[in-house]
Amino acid sequence: MEGTQFYGLFGMILSLYRQNKFPGIGQMFRYTLRDESNHIELLRNLFMDLMEENREIWTPEFKEELRQTMAEAIALEKDFIRDCLPVNAVGLAIDEFLTYIDFIADRRLEGCGLAPLNPGAKNPLPWLAEMMDIKKEQNFFEGRVTEYQKASALQVASDDEL
Ligand SMILES: [Fe+2]
């Protein structure tokens, strides 16, 4: 489930970042997600090696148990998304984030040799992958802080303005 939990929230923040809102926190999330990509690949490799070394536990029953655990994780993540975004607002459409979780959960399952739960699910947020794949050579310490300072200037903003 590494790489599925909280991805609804990550997607929402980056969607706002894409609209030039929250530039500082958006940049921070991009770096966080680059790190998450490493976690996903590390844990996937570890899992696959463990299954290779312990073939006797890689049974159809165990595979189905893992798929059902993922299904439960998806349901929890979708509840979380509905809490974060009870209505479509500020350019965010809840259905896109719900479908996105189905899509990435299937990528995680398939990455571990498991059958998808929603075969054929399409990625409703294709731009998100590019945004998460921040250039590795970009140096965090060379990033400009001025954009963040501008955005967070001491103005009182109402939620309706976001
Ligand atoms: Fe992680």
Side-chain angles (χ1 to χ4, degrees):
M1 284 167 294
E2 183 78 12
T4 55
Q5 303 300 276
F6 301 117
Y7 268 59
L9 176 66
F10 295 154
M12 290 176 211
I13 294 289
L14 289 179
S15 187
L16 293 170
Y17 174 78
R18 193 168 176 242
Q19 300 173 39
N20 295 320
K21 295 180 173 115
F22 301 129
I25 201 168
Q27 188 73 357
M28 186 182 87
F29 272 56
R30 291 182 76 190
Y31 282 108
T32 301
L33 283 159
R34 189 177 87 183
D35 194 38
E36 286 304 311
S37 298
N38 291 330
H39 299 176
I40 293 164
E41 195 53 21
L42 168 78
L43 294 174
R44 192 185 75 80
N45 281 322
L46 179 63
F47 178 80
M48 297 305 275
D49 281 355
L50 282 170
M51 291 308 106
E52 186 69 34
E53 292 170 7
N54 300 278
R55 289 220 157 263
E56 69 282 1
I57 65 169
W58 194 229
T59 60
E61 293 74 24
F62 184 48
K63 290 178 185 178
E64 190 51 30
E65 186 184 333
L66 292 173
R67 290 177 77 243
Q68 291 314 311
T69 303
M70 181 62 99
E72 188 182 345
I74 292 169
L76 291 170
E77 179 68 10
K78 286 183 175 180
D79 283 348
F80 174 69
I81 290 169
R82 291 185 192 99
D83 280 348
C84 290
L85 192 64
V87 294
N88 292 338
V90 289
L92 307 182
I94 185 168
D95 285 344
E96 290 184 345
F97 294 99
L98 298 176
T99 305
Y100 178 68
I101 295 305
D102 284 329
F103 174 78
I104 59 168
D106 278 353
R107 300 291 80 72
R108 308 296 179 243
L109 287 169
E110 290 173 325
C112 294
L114 296 164
L117 291 162
N118 296 284
K122 297 266 186 298
N123 184 2
L125 306 168
W127 53 268
L128 201 47
E130 191 179 327
M131 191 160 284
M132 288 179 182
D133 187 25
I134 193 168
K135 291 270 181 294
K136 293 200 173 180
E137 60 268 23
Q138 187 174 343
N139 185 335
F140 173 79
F141 296 103
E142 291 172 4
R144 298 190 313 132
V145 293
T146 50
E147 288 174 11
Y148 184 78
Q149 287 171 337
K150 261 186 269 169
S152 64
L154 298 172
Q155 296 171 350
V156 178
S158 84
D159 286 350
D160 292 340
E161 291 170 5
L162 288 177

